[in-house]
Amino acid sequence: MNTVRILDKEFELCIPSEKIQEVVARMAGQMNADLAGNEVVFMPILNGAFMFASDLLRRIGFACQISFLRLASYEGTASSGSVKQLIGITEKLHGKTVVVIEDIVDSGQTLDYILRQLSAYEPAEIRVAALLFKPESYRYSYPIQYTGMEIPAQFVVGYGLDYEGYGRNLEDIYQLKPKNSETC
Ligand code: 5GP
Ligand code: MG
């Protein structure tokens, strides 16, 4: 299937499942080499990271904890505007190595929220694993230790990523049919 239609938009295949699995295996290999022996808590961010986390974590060979988090948005007071809160933290993180698992890092704003809230729990270290990274859009300096693939600033769906809530179940990654020739 080289194109899919979701609601009003056409998407074309850009990263096939075989390639994704190869990248995920490479990332798990790096983590097994770097992190074995540490007290590690993997924290996938819902909903987008569910499929990536599931494939990645079954390849982790050392004892670890896994705890899913979610960013909830709510309207704050008029003065504070829209506020995002990280929900689901139940484990003690003090002194541990936290690995945030994200589907995609675009501007980095979401990651910045997450990192600021997690650091209040005083983990020894926070690392970030992102399957996809858009370097042209990234506006922060926090290093992403484990990056699967760098892609151009194009909108993608599939493998956990949605368009208007649809498309998360696709096993390949598709991009919005580009207006210019840039493809991932
Ligand atoms: P950021 O805060 O880094 O700008 O954006 C991160 C969030 O925006 C991601 O967690 C994801 O929910 C959404 N996002 C950014 N780029 C894409 C994309 O290409 N496709 C989809 N489906 N979501 C995206
Ligand atoms: Mg997300």
Side-chain angles (χ1 to χ4, degrees):
M1 211 175 23
N2 279 328
T3 62
V4 290
R5 185 170 188 86
I6 303 176
L7 303 175
D8 59 327
K9 299 210 186 317
E10 291 272 345
F11 294 84
E12 60 188 28
L13 183 62
C14 90
I15 310 169
S17 162
E18 300 71 40
K19 174 68 180 172
I20 298 170
Q21 293 304 324
E22 194 184 300
V23 165
V24 171
R26 191 221 338 124
M27 296 175 84
Q30 287 173 347
M31 292 181 200
N32 282 325
D34 291 353
L35 300 174
N38 293 24
E39 261 199 279
V40 178
V41 187
F42 288 102
M43 305 196 112
I45 310 300
L46 293 173
N47 292 322
F50 83 97
M51 206 177 276
F52 170 43
S54 163
D55 286 339
L56 178 78
L57 295 171
R58 75 183 77 200
R59 294 175 179 273
I60 295 298
F62 55 87
C64 60
Q65 292 179 302
I66 299 169
S67 183
F68 286 81
L69 302 182
R70 184 178 189 109
L71 263 185
S73 302
Y74 59 91
E75 292 305 309
T77 62
S79 59
S80 60
S82 169
V83 178
K84 285 213 167 81
Q85 194 190 357
L86 197 57
I87 55 177
I89 302 173
T90 51
E91 280 68 22
K92 290 198 174 65
L93 302 182
H94 184 84
K96 294 184 182 175
T97 298
V98 169
V99 182
V100 173
I101 300 181
E102 264 287 27
D103 48 0
I104 188 163
V105 175
D106 186 6
S107 71
Q109 192 180 17
T110 307
L111 184 62
D112 183 63
Y113 277 123
I114 292 168
L115 294 172
R116 279 195 276 131
Q117 292 186 45
L118 282 178
S119 47
Y121 294 80
E122 301 184 329
E125 184 186 9
I126 306 177
R127 294 187 177 214
V128 180
L131 179 67
L132 302 175
F133 178 49
K134 295 180 180 173
E136 295 160 23
S137 315
Y138 194 53
R139 291 193 273 110
Y140 294 80
S141 55
Y142 197 88
I144 299 169
Q145 287 83 3
Y146 306 101
T147 303
M149 285 166 281
E150 295 192 351
I151 61 169
Q154 302 277 4
F155 188 78
V156 293
V157 295
Y159 198 68
L161 291 149
D162 74 306
Y163 169 57
E164 301 283 342
Y166 291 92
R168 296 191 196 278
N169 55 309
L170 297 166
E171 66 174 350
D172 308 294
I173 293 173
Y174 294 78
Q175 72 172 108
L176 191 58
K177 278 203 165 179
K179 293 187 188 74
N180 56 39
S181 60
E182 198 177 24
T183 54
C184 59

